[in-house]
Amino acid sequence: MKKIVILASGNGTNFEAICKYFSKSSKTSIIKLITDNKKAYVIERAKGLGIDYEIIDYSSFKSKKEYNDYLFDRLKDLDFDLMVLAGYMRILPGYIVRYYADKIINIHPSLLPKYPGLRSIERAYNNKEEYTGITIHYVEEEVDTGKIILQKKLKVDKNWDLEKLEEEIHKLEHQYYPQVIENLLSNSDEYS
Ligand code: GAR
């Protein structure tokens, strides 16, 4: 059985899509959700789906370093094959990224290297991009960099408003993120 831990900070639609995709799998299990945000809606989703969760509330730590050190300790207590960032809005420090080299993946709502960082969908929309899309990539020390595993392009219909574009981006994310996870876990010896 391959084990996944998911880190998320917000709404959690990707978290839910991944959990549902693997809900009947005998090969893959979501062992835990970790969130840095005690108010995140993803917590309600975890409760509803019956997934174990842990809140490591960023605001209760004195410093970023204390938070990251604690997160690292908690991760080391877990036995997992893949760490999946699904709307985790903090930057993992270099020592965590290096410790789990090639075991952490992220999804980003743009065609990286375009529009890294925040509000990527909105910025692409405001710039009237003809195409935008999603990127799934390994996590490296720099934000929104790392070897790209999959990109999916989306043609932006001129009649779409921002909300519609966001909806179409999320649909792509929910369709491809679980599949990529499944492929990574089944194809790679390093995960066995
Ligand atoms: C997703 O669109 C994801 O690509 C993005 O946050 C959203 C989370 O949505 N991630 C980033 O921007 C990372 N840089 P969700 O909470 O509904 O899954």
Side-chain angles (χ1 to χ4, degrees):
M1 179 72 93
K2 304 289 182 179
K3 298 186 198 105
I4 301 175
V5 59
I6 300 182
L7 269 62
S9 304
N11 188 354
T13 62
N14 279 284
F15 166 77
E16 181 159 341
I18 295 164
C19 291
K20 287 190 167 156
Y21 186 89
F22 291 109
S23 65
K24 294 193 178 76
S25 169
S26 56
K27 293 186 188 154
T28 304
S29 151
I30 318 300
I31 58 157
K32 184 171 263 193
L33 163 75
I34 295 180
T35 183
D36 60 308
N37 174 8
K38 64 180 177 205
K39 295 184 182 144
Y41 189 68
V42 70
I43 297 165
E44 300 310 312
R45 294 186 195 269
K47 287 180 188 165
L49 292 159
I51 303 284
D52 188 22
Y53 65 91
E54 179 166 347
I55 302 168
I56 304 181
D57 180 26
Y58 185 83
S59 63
S60 70
F61 288 84
K62 283 201 202 90
S63 66
K64 195 190 287 182
K65 171 140 184 22
E66 266 190 27
Y67 165 80
N68 280 323
D69 286 350
Y70 185 80
L71 172 66
F72 194 26
D73 280 346
R74 296 299 298 125
L75 288 168
K76 282 194 283 189
D77 283 344
L78 301 173
D79 171 30
F80 59 86
D81 300 284
L82 190 65
M83 189 193 313
V84 172
L85 308 188
Y88 180 66
M89 301 316 256
R90 301 203 176 273
I91 299 166
L92 287 173
Y95 60 89
I96 295 185
V97 174
R98 285 191 295 273
Y99 187 87
Y100 294 109
D102 295 331
K103 267 191 170 192
I104 314 175
I105 62 170
N106 181 44
I107 190 161
H108 188 79
S110 75
L111 296 172
L112 290 172
K114 282 188 131 183
Y115 305 108
L118 300 174
R119 297 185 302 102
S120 311
I121 306 174
E122 188 183 329
R123 286 185 289 136
Y125 181 80
N126 290 341
N127 280 348
K128 302 195 168 24
E129 293 284 357
E130 193 185 350
Y131 290 94
T132 183
I134 63 163
T135 303
I136 298 168
H137 63 96
Y138 287 104
V139 171
E140 283 182 1
E141 289 189 47
E142 301 295 315
V143 183
D144 297 329
T145 61
K147 194 173 133 206
I148 290 173
I149 303 165
L150 180 93
Q151 286 193 309
K152 282 285 158 188
K153 227 172 161 183
L154 175 68
K155 187 163 168 50
V156 184
D157 187 305
K158 288 196 178 63
N159 298 314
W160 290 353
D161 57 12
L162 174 59
E163 218 169 59
K164 174 71 175 160
L165 177 59
E166 283 171 346
E167 191 185 311
E168 292 299 322
I169 289 278
H170 291 314
K171 257 194 230 166
L172 274 187
E173 292 189 324
H174 302 161
Q175 181 182 353
Y176 286 102
Y177 210 10
Q179 288 180 23
V180 164
I181 293 167
E182 187 171 49
N183 286 342
L184 284 177
L185 291 174
S186 60
N187 291 343
S188 170
D189 284 337
E190 69 195 87
Y191 293 111
S192 60

